[in-house]
Amino acid sequence: MTTPFPFTAVVGQDDLRLALLLNAVSPAVGGVLVRGEKGTAKSTAVRALSALLPEVAVVPGCRFSCDPASPDPSCPDGPHEPGPGAHRPARMVELPVGASEDRLVGALDIERALAEGVKAFEPGLLADAHRGILYVDEVNLLHDHLVDLLLDAAAMGASYVEREGVSVRHAARFLLVGTMNPEEGELRPQLLDRFGLTVEVAASREPDQRVEVVRRRLAYDDDPAGFAARWAGEEAAVRQRIVAARELLPQVRLGDGALRQIAATCAAFEVDGMRADIVMARTATALAAWAGRTDVLAEDVRQAALLALPHRRRRNPFDAPGLDEDKLDRTLEEFSGESPDDDPDPDPDGPGGGGGGPAPDAGPQGGGDTGARPEEGDGGEPQPSGAGAGEQPAARAAEPFRTKALSVPGIGEGAAGRRSRARTEHGRTTGARRPRGALTKLHLAATVQAAAPHQRARGRSGPGLVIRRDDLRQAAREGREGNLVLFVVDASGSMAARQRMSAVKGAVLSLLLDAYQRRDKVGLVTFRGSAAEVALPPTSSVDAAAARLETLPTGGRTPLAAGLLKAHEVLRVERLRDPARRALVVVVTDGRATGGPEPVALAGRAARLFAAEQVASVVVDCESGPVRLGLAGQLAAELGGTAVTLDELRADAIAGLVKDVQGTSRRAA
């Protein structure tokens, strides 16, 4: 068995370690979502935590880890006889991103249930994680329906498995920890809200701390057991402190003053619903117990807010998580129950000298946000005229607007999403078929119909049907899939008028918001000057696409053919990586093609490659002015798609466009 890296040997990452320990003290806090760049000890810290949890007493032989002192009356392995039980270490169970629903919640043997009336249940990962840790690495890549099941079980403390009227329930109380890299895509806001706490982690920029990280990691790799032994004392001390805090937790008093501060803080930051208030209360109580106190102080409320509120403030995927700490301090002071004038020795900075640095996302209150974002390289602050031939500073995007979905025609079989029709495991039932492999969704009527003609020949004598494997029918279901939405954006001189480019960016930003809501992958190809470039390879991180769009400069000629050929190459590579995901190409241009020999003819030949492969496409016509050449419409015809103006992209006007895309794409259903 591999020796885990000691929890107390993790360098830095104070917020991460504190959030994990608070959940170890009080699992009712609701788990932790750890967000951060790769290589920041997210997984290492989570895996190390299991070694600190106290041992659990279990009923011998129970697959659901029932507590012998209070066994679950609904346990599928029950009823359990009273007894002393056995002790074992707390488990840490990992949920793979590609796990099936049955692997998560467990599987019922439908064949035995129908033929014998027996609830033959094979436990899933939720049962294994009961009274331990359930860890989901890359939780943002987990399918939505699995995340829903996971968080529902975490909230209710139980898992329900139902198949055609046959149901099983078992206890499922665990410490839920998810880790994610925001560059690979975000969780939906309503799912973010279901995690109790969140922390942002990043690698230290201090050379001394980075040296210590490397030193400890190399020492661990050379001798894991010896390294762990050197930290055994610190590990034991933290383990004892967790036990003491758990015992003290029921005695902690959450006074009316602290409750008012919690409520006022949640109201001041305009978080939705009441879950934030409850999580803050539980977190503040756990903080007091961890500190060995029986009273919740203002400092506990402040720390609870920093852990429980940042991810609940997001309104769209482009909002960075964070909290204005100055505003937080003002709110806590206002509702502290004491007047500043009555304080004989006021400390304007408070403990710690004013809150420990700037807020991650202070917003407009921070002052000085003029919209220009200094970035590394040549995409940040406006450059002087010599920054490039004909290059113009990046224009700000116009206000995004609400759109309706563009969809790919036909029926696909891609990843679950909310855009185009697809054959999926979840959705409305459209028919029945013989199962391929294990049966997952029984079509009861079709199964009975298949078995009924053979009952006499099978010697049926009782009330139940005699079911054979060949009788079983799988429900065929139709739902929605996510697509690859590839934006091909003209950034040439003909688009460089700031008002026009601002409108173009606003339109693309609106479509990016729509792609986020519909669980698509997105990519961004831009072309200007003499070449095209992949500004963002296909990714689930829609906010990364928005960031690239914001700093997009314009100027130079219009190499339309280069842009289309680059997009065609991106699609070719993506088909090899994800062959089931269908593509929708959105070309944003005025249709002009300049530069090089026969640019118009070359662009036409490139466009016909998409038409030959029946790739669904839309051309957003950015041409303006009283005289219009209609070049975007000609490009759309070559692509086998449709053209739409910027004005037609808005709200209800796009409804007719969906029909046009489906009608003109020539893609076989």
Side-chain angles (χ1 to χ4, degrees):
M1 182 176 179
T2 304
T3 303
F5 192 92
F7 185 85
T8 51
V10 174
V11 179
Q13 309 298 9
D14 295 339
D15 287 343
L16 169 59
R17 292 191 292 168
L18 178 60
L20 291 172
L21 290 170
L22 292 177
N23 274 271
V25 171
S26 175
V29 166
V32 186
L33 176 65
V34 187
R35 296 163 43 93
E37 59 196 24
K38 53 188 178 292
T40 49
K42 300 188 297 293
S43 301
T44 299
V46 175
R47 293 189 176 99
L49 179 67
S50 60
L52 298 179
L53 298 182
E55 289 190 337
V56 294
V58 297
V59 174
C62 177
R63 297 175 297 168
F64 302 87
S65 302
C66 280
D67 186 346
S70 56
D72 181 9
S74 302
C75 177
D77 284 354
H80 298 300
E81 298 294 330
H87 287 78
R88 64 160 176 79
R91 292 175 180 158
M92 194 201 73
V93 177
E94 291 197 45
L95 173 62
V97 169
S100 65
E101 180 178 335
D102 286 345
R103 184 72 185 99
L104 176 63
V105 301
L108 277 169
D109 190 331
I110 298 297
E111 186 174 355
R112 291 189 63 191
L114 291 176
E116 305 173 28
V118 176
K119 292 183 180 180
F121 180 67
E122 183 65 29
L125 295 176
L126 291 181
D128 293 342
H130 180 46
R131 304 176 68 197
I133 301 173
L134 183 61
Y135 171 47
V136 189
D137 194 13
E138 306 295 352
V139 64
N140 51 323
L141 303 182
L142 199 65
H143 286 174
D144 284 351
H145 71 280
L146 292 182
V147 178
D148 290 336
L149 290 170
L150 180 65
L151 296 179
D152 284 344
M156 296 186 296
S159 175
Y160 294 85
V161 184
E162 298 191 11
R163 297 288 188 275
E164 305 299 336
V166 181
S167 62
V168 170
R169 174 205 172 277
H170 65 83
R173 291 183 294 275
F174 46 82
L175 195 167
L176 175 63
V177 182
T179 56
M180 60 175 284
N181 183 347
E183 294 177 357
E184 297 173 342
E186 288 283 0
L187 279 172
R188 302 197 314 264
Q190 58 267 44
L191 299 183
L192 280 172
D193 184 57
R194 299 295 292 273
F195 281 94
L197 310 179
T198 187
V199 291
E200 296 279 335
V201 296
S204 172
R205 299 297 184 259
E206 292 293 331
D208 291 343
Q209 195 170 75
R210 295 175 74 97
V211 166
E212 187 61 24
V213 170
V214 175
R215 182 181 290 120
R216 293 186 187 183
R217 185 70 211 191
L218 293 177
Y220 170 77
D221 290 340
D222 290 340
D223 182 10
F227 183 82
R230 291 195 292 274
W231 289 87
E234 288 83 349
E235 294 281 287
V238 173
R239 191 179 299 112
Q240 293 170 4
R241 188 174 175 185
I242 291 174
V243 173
R246 284 185 173 185
E247 294 173 352
L248 183 62
L249 187 65
Q251 305 171 37
V252 175
R253 188 180 71 88
L254 184 65
D256 289 344
L259 274 174
R260 283 182 59 81
Q261 285 184 317
I262 290 170
T265 300
C266 292
F269 286 100
E270 300 180 348
V271 295
D272 297 329
M274 295 298 298
R275 185 175 285 118
D277 304 62
I278 296 171
V279 171
M280 273 191 65
R282 290 172 173 166
T283 304
T285 303
L287 280 162
W290 178 248
R293 291 185 269 99
T294 56
D295 286 311
V296 174
L297 305 180
E299 63 193 64
D300 300 322
V301 176
R302 186 183 192 279
Q303 183 64 59
L306 293 175
L307 293 172
L309 295 189
H311 60 303
R312 293 184 164 90
R313 294 187 56 247
R314 299 184 66 215
R315 291 296 183 266
N316 65 61
F318 312 139
D319 290 341
L323 215 60
D324 183 345
E325 295 191 32
D326 290 337
K327 181 178 180 180
L328 173 61
D329 290 336
R330 290 194 300 270
T331 303
L332 293 176
E333 182 179 353
E334 180 181 355
F335 289 88
S336 64
E338 300 179 1
S339 171
D341 295 334
D342 297 335
D343 189 349
D345 186 20
D347 181 1
D349 292 331
D361 183 21
Q365 292 89 344
D369 181 7
T370 62
R373 290 190 178 180
E375 302 284 345
E376 295 184 2
D378 60 356
E381 298 209 12
Q383 301 293 321
S385 58
E391 181 175 311
Q392 301 294 323
R396 294 290 303 271
E399 190 70 20
F401 49 84
R402 180 174 171 269
T403 71
K404 293 183 180 179
L406 300 169
S407 64
V408 177
I411 300 179
E413 295 183 343
R418 296 180 176 179
R419 183 172 296 276
S420 305
R421 294 171 57 202
R423 286 179 283 269
T424 62
E425 287 293 317
H426 299 269
R428 63 185 182 90
T429 300
T430 58
R433 58 175 174 81
R434 292 182 182 273
R436 307 186 195 105
L439 177 72
T440 55
K441 301 291 182 181
L442 178 74
H443 194 296
L444 184 58
T447 299
V448 171
Q449 187 177 11
H454 308 292
Q455 296 305 296
R456 181 175 297 178
R458 294 173 182 173
R460 173 187 170 189
S461 58
L465 286 174
V466 180
I467 301 291
R468 299 284 187 264
R469 173 69 184 173
D470 289 343
D471 301 328
L472 297 177
R473 296 294 182 270
Q474 175 88 19
R477 300 192 174 192
E478 182 179 305
R480 293 280 169 176
E481 67 177 0
N483 298 114
L484 167 60
V485 182
L486 182 60
F487 294 93
V488 185
V489 179
D490 183 350
S492 64
S494 63
M495 303 281 288
R498 294 190 67 81
Q499 185 175 1
R500 185 194 304 184
M501 200 61 202
S502 177
V504 167
K505 288 186 176 182
V508 177
L509 195 63
S510 304
L511 292 170
L512 283 171
L513 280 167
D514 181 69
Y516 167 80
Q517 294 163 355
R518 301 186 187 280
R519 312 305 289 166
D520 294 316
K521 291 178 74 172
V522 297
L524 178 63
V525 172
T526 64
F527 58 94
R528 69 186 185 97
S530 59
E533 66 173 344
V534 181
L536 183 72
T539 176
S540 297
S541 181
V542 177
D543 53 341
R548 299 290 196 282
L549 181 72
E550 183 177 355
T551 58
L552 177 66
T554 58
R557 293 183 177 273
T558 311
L560 176 58
L564 295 175
L565 291 173
K566 181 68 72 173
H568 186 267
E569 175 64 16
V570 169
L571 293 184
R572 185 189 67 80
V573 173
E574 192 63 19
R575 285 193 202 100
L576 298 176
R577 295 174 177 168
D578 193 356
R581 189 181 292 268
R582 298 184 294 162
L584 173 65
V585 176
V586 179
V587 185
V588 185
T589 181
D590 56 9
R592 300 184 184 185
T594 60
E598 299 183 341
V600 176
L602 187 58
R605 288 197 295 271
R608 287 192 287 274
L609 293 175
F610 292 85
E613 296 175 3
Q614 298 180 329
V615 177
S617 59
V618 176
V619 177
V620 179
D621 185 359
C622 303
E623 191 174 26
S624 61
V627 178
R628 296 175 181 263
L629 302 178
L631 298 176
Q634 297 175 24
L635 175 63
E638 298 277 10
L639 287 165
T642 189
V644 58
T645 66
L646 287 173
D647 290 338
E648 291 171 334
L649 212 54
R650 293 178 175 274
D652 295 337
I654 206 171
L657 174 63
V658 176
K659 298 178 182 178
D660 291 340
V661 173
Q662 294 175 339
T664 60
S665 180
R666 305 194 195 107
R667 182 164 184 156

